[in-house]
Amino acid sequence: MAKRILLIGGLSTDSQDIESLQEFSAYLRATVPESTLVSTHIDQIEYYISPTEMTFRDYVSGKSLEDFDQIIIRGPKMRILSEFAFYVSYICNLTNIPLFNDYSLYYPGTKVAQALVFAEHGALFPATMFSTQISKLIESAEAVFSYPYILKT
């Protein structure tokens, strides 16, 4: 069976990040042609974390991180984006998804990072949803949460 690889690049709004992702995608397609490669950007991943469920998906392809056999986080400014890379790395480590490069040591201390740690340890906390795309966040929140709910952007 061909390996399913998710390549996560930097921001979808940054020309240098877009070019870097395209170049690395082309390199992977040429060097590992038997694999199925999906490319996305770090700001195109949506996070839902509750005490009983964690879902991380690329809203462009609609695929969950758990749909992949390997995840590669790569981008010229990824150290600046380490908060988002931490989220992906942390969930990969919790769900045993092999990670090419691991950012889980870059704990950012955000509400999303706290929710991940609380979920791992079985603590009770309000369900948390995060997306850098406000319109996607509102759309997903309306589909997932029942009224009333609090949405902070």
Side-chain angles (χ1 to χ4, degrees):
M1 179 183 210
K3 196 172 224 179
R4 299 164 299 171
I5 300 172
L6 177 61
L7 175 60
I8 302 173
L11 297 175
S12 62
T13 56
D14 184 280
S15 59
Q16 184 182 15
D17 286 341
I18 292 167
E19 183 179 330
S20 175
L21 182 64
Q22 290 170 343
E23 288 173 1
F24 199 67
S25 293
Y27 170 78
L28 282 177
R29 283 191 175 88
T31 56
V32 195
E34 68 279 3
S35 292
T36 301
L37 178 67
V38 173
S39 298
T40 193
H41 292 273
I42 199 87
D43 60 338
Q44 294 175 325
I45 296 176
E46 181 178 81
Y47 312 90
Y48 173 76
I49 308 151
S50 78
T52 58
E53 178 185 3
M54 285 192 277
T55 306
F56 287 61
R57 72 178 183 94
D58 166 32
Y59 63 73
V60 175
S61 71
K63 295 192 178 291
S64 167
L65 297 187
E66 294 173 331
D67 293 334
F68 296 94
D69 303 308
Q70 175 85 52
I71 295 182
I72 301 171
I73 304 170
R74 179 146 177 120
K77 300 178 188 101
M78 200 52 69
R79 276 189 260 159
I80 297 169
L81 303 170
S82 63
E83 170 185 334
F84 306 123
F86 169 85
Y87 305 154
V88 172
S89 295
Y90 203 88
I91 193 68
C92 286
N93 288 331
L94 285 178
T95 56
N96 297 316
I97 301 169
L99 199 56
F100 182 76
N101 40 4
D102 189 349
Y103 286 82
S104 64
L105 296 177
Y106 290 84
Y107 183 78
T110 63
K111 295 215 181 278
V112 175
Q114 290 171 353
L116 286 167
V117 173
F118 292 159
E120 178 185 13
H121 296 285
L124 294 177
F125 63 96
T128 302
M129 183 172 280
F130 175 77
S131 173
T132 61
Q133 308 290 324
I134 301 300
S135 61
K136 292 289 182 187
L137 179 63
I138 293 169
E139 178 184 313
S140 295
E142 288 174 346
V144 171
F145 296 126
S146 58
Y147 288 97
Y149 63 86
I150 298 170
L151 185 63
K152 294 181 181 180
T153 60

